[in-house]
Each structure stands twice: as structure tokens, then as C-alpha cells.
Amino acid sequence: MKHILKLNFILAMVLTFSACSSPKVSQNSKVTTGNSGQSVQVSQVQTPVKIPTIKETVATLCSDEFQGRLTGSKGNEKTGEYIEKTFKDIGLDPFFDNSYYQKYYLGVNSSYRGEQNNTKLKMVNNVVGVIKGKKSENAVVVSAHFDHLGYVDGKIIRGALDNASGVSALVEIAHKVKEKSKVKPFDTDIIFCAFNGEEVGLKGSEAFVNAVTSTNYNFYNINIDCIGAKNGGKLALKNKNELSNKLYGAVKTTFKKDNIGFADTVVHGLSDHVNFQSMGIPSVFIVQGNIENLVHKPTDIPDTLDYKQIDKIANGITDFIGANDGVIFTQ
């Protein structure tokens, strides 16, 4: 009897240990009818959702299928669909009326900077998701544009640096911040904007800023455009807008801690942060220096990017958002 009790005790311990050490797998259950006519509960294992890596996002956006992402083109529409699905998979909530799309009308051409008499009015989309905070009167808007030039002189302009790099960082930051929010919710709403129409006059960010400035939000913007070029320079973090002094200073503090190199220089050209600043909203432009001769060319392909550097910048921005939760960088 003692031997039997001892054996039962050992068996119970083995079963307990096995249960504790087995990995947890998310399951669904459904009830089906067996051969005997009795109801049988069958477990279905859910396949974990895979979020694309930085390199995978760039490769997808630069693929033939996405056709250079010219605003209004089929490839551009597919790009929006891809980003929408990724935002869903990450677990972001829709920002506009239960939709990830912010629709607006834009005059589009069949080619980049096409003739004005060939312009057609078309509905296009920004893609916007949000992680809701505990105090939704404050918000951070993290942005990157996903459109590019399509075909120029018969050659596809893939836009790896401009701006698949920024979108890949946006996705990575959204994923990292969402995971952090599951452990400790943020005070601030964190809005992730993939803008369309940047290459044709910053139209996507204009539509977004016009929509959001009519709300009671206090917010600032982190705009990412062209990062990670192997042949580029350091991040060009010279602030040209007095409104954004505190924001630039705080970003530089975090980047120094994370050993992310930057310089007090500027790049030529505009990006979506301009629309925020024009409405009195602090904005920091995350852009790499010495890239003027690298973009808007057929040679702007995925092999020209340093993916570890993009990941480092994405981590730095994630750290910045966490360290400054609830802060609004007004003068």
C-alpha cells in the first residue's frame, strides 16, 4: 500500500511538473459530433500572428507588386492594404470612425509630376492606428509617408530609403510600443500615421492635421523620412523651428543615452512635419544627412540600407516615447 501511495505521489509530481513546464499555446475550442452521436470538444491551436521585420517591410514595399507606390496607383492601394493589415496584426485600434483609413480626395496623375491636364480627382487613403492612453487629451503622432514615384522613364523607382525605411521603423515602433502598453498602459494616446501623398505636396499630412486640429488634443509629432542609408551621414537633427526647441532637446537626450549618432545639420527638401509646424504643433524630423543624391533614383533599392541602424533608431524613438509619456512639448 505504501509503495502504491508512493508511486501515485511520484506520478502526480511528474504530471504537475509537465503541466508547469509545457509552453502555453493560445487555443480555440469548438464542439463537434462524434461517431457515437455524442458532442466532443475539439481544441484548435491558433497560429501566432507574425509581425514583419524591418527588412521584410522594406522588401515588400519595394517589390514589383507595389509598383513604386505612386499615389493613386494600384501599387499604392496595395501598400495601404498591407499597412492596414499590419496595424491590425499589431493590435492598434482604428483612429477614424472605426476605420484605419482616412480618406481624402486628391488630384492624381498616371506618372510622377504628370501634366496638369491629365489630373484626375481620386479618393486616396492615409492609414492611421492608435494605442489609447489613460488620458486621451494628450497624444503623440508618429508618422512616415508610404507613397513614392512609381515609374520614371520606364524604370520603377522603388524608394527603399525614401521612404520604405521610415515605414519599416514606424511598424517596428508601433509593435514595440504596443507590447509595452500591455505591461503598463500609457497616459498618452500614441497615434501611428502612414501618410499618403507626401511626394505630391505633403497632402496626406495636410488632410490629417486639418482633421485633428479641430479636436481637443494636445499633441506633438515625430516624423520619420529617409533613414538607414549605408552611404548617408548621421541623423540631421538641426531644429529650424523655435516652436520645437524642447522636443528636439529631449530627443537628442534620449539618442545620446542610446548611442545614436546625430549632427546639427539640415537636409534639403520638405517632409510631412512641415504641416504640423505650420499649425503651431511641435514636430521633430528624423532624417539622415547626405542623402540628397541617393533618393528619387532607380538605385534606391533595399540593398543600400543598413537595417541594424534602422532598428537602432526605432528603439531610440520607442525609448523616447516611454521616457516622455504624458509630456507635451510646448514652449
Side-chain angles (χ1 to χ4, degrees):
M1 186 68 174
K2 288 182 180 179
H3 291 299
I4 294 173
L5 289 174
K6 186 174 180 180
L7 181 61
N8 286 339
F9 174 76
I10 292 171
L11 180 60
M13 290 295 291
V14 169
L15 291 174
T16 300
F17 177 78
S18 298
C20 292
S21 61
S22 298
K24 293 182 179 180
V25 179
S26 178
Q27 294 180 334
N28 281 336
S29 297
K30 70 175 182 179
V31 176
T32 186
T33 303
N35 294 332
S36 63
Q38 294 180 334
S39 295
V40 179
Q41 190 168 7
V42 179
S43 294
Q44 293 180 310
V45 177
Q46 289 181 332
T47 303
V49 176
K50 184 181 183 303
I51 308 304
T53 65
I54 288 171
K55 190 171 185 178
E56 288 169 344
T57 298
V58 170
T60 300
L61 266 60
C62 294
S63 65
D64 290 348
E65 181 183 4
F66 286 73
Q67 302 174 343
R69 311 189 301 278
L70 178 71
T71 302
S73 68
K74 291 293 184 182
N76 182 271
E77 292 174 3
K78 287 183 178 181
T79 308
E81 292 167 0
Y82 172 79
I83 296 171
E84 179 198 27
K85 180 183 183 304
T86 303
F87 279 6
K88 285 181 182 178
D89 290 344
I90 289 170
L92 303 185
D93 293 321
F95 185 74
F96 286 106
D97 300 326
N98 298 317
S99 173
Y100 293 91
Y101 287 150
Q102 181 193 10
K103 301 179 183 298
Y104 68 98
Y105 284 95
L106 180 66
V108 299
N109 289 281
S110 59
S111 62
Y112 177 62
R113 293 179 177 171
E115 295 180 10
Q116 290 301 311
N117 58 1
N118 289 328
T119 298
K120 294 182 179 179
L121 193 65
K122 186 171 184 177
M123 182 181 287
V124 297
N125 301 305
N126 293 325
V127 187
V128 188
V130 62
I131 299 170
K132 297 295 291 184
K134 294 182 292 183
K135 300 176 182 177
S136 291
E137 67 271 17
N138 294 335
V140 183
V141 178
V142 188
S143 61
H145 76 90
F146 68 85
D147 63 297
H148 201 48
L149 311 189
Y151 290 84
V152 175
D153 296 329
K155 295 181 179 179
I156 188 170
I157 313 298
R158 300 184 185 276
L161 176 61
D162 186 13
N163 185 35
S165 65
V167 176
S168 72
L170 182 75
V171 168
E172 185 71 8
I173 296 162
H175 185 210
K176 290 178 184 295
V177 173
K178 179 62 180 179
E179 293 305 302
K180 287 179 179 292
S181 74
K182 293 176 182 178
V183 178
K184 182 182 178 182
F186 287 83
D187 287 334
T188 304
D189 281 6
I190 306 166
I191 304 166
F192 295 91
C193 294
F195 288 136
N196 202 356
E198 191 267 358
E199 298 283 3
V200 289
L202 315 179
K203 295 301 183 180
S205 54
E206 179 182 353
F208 177 83
V209 171
N210 287 341
V212 178
T213 50
S214 62
T215 69
N216 294 322
Y217 265 132
N218 298 308
F219 61 101
Y220 67 92
N221 169 240
I222 301 171
N223 185 48
I224 312 166
D225 193 349
C226 298
I227 58 174
K230 293 177 182 177
N231 295 325
K234 294 180 179 179
L235 293 180
L237 294 185
K238 184 176 181 63
N239 176 31
K240 299 190 292 183
N241 183 274
E242 186 175 341
L243 175 74
S244 304
N245 283 341
K246 290 183 180 179
L247 176 57
Y248 266 87
V251 167
K252 289 177 180 179
T253 296
T254 297
F255 281 12
K256 285 178 182 177
K257 288 180 181 178
D258 287 359
N259 196 30
I260 299 172
F262 59 86
D264 189 35
T265 56
V266 297
V267 293
H268 299 291
L270 302 176
S271 188
D272 289 305
H273 63 289
V274 170
N275 281 319
F276 290 88
Q277 292 178 353
S278 67
M279 296 297 291
I281 301 163
S283 182
V284 60
F285 185 24
I286 308 298
V287 61
Q288 193 172 359
N290 297 333
I291 59 167
E292 290 84 355
N293 295 322
L294 302 178
V295 298
H296 291 196
K297 296 181 177 182
T299 51
D300 183 9
I301 60 176
D303 286 347
T304 64
L305 298 182
D306 181 344
Y307 294 99
K308 289 183 179 179
Q309 182 64 12
I310 297 173
D311 184 62
K312 192 173 184 178
I313 294 168
N315 284 332
I317 295 172
T318 302
D319 290 345
F320 173 82
I321 291 170
N324 293 278
D325 184 29
V327 179
I328 299 297
F329 294 93
T330 54
Q331 290 296 98

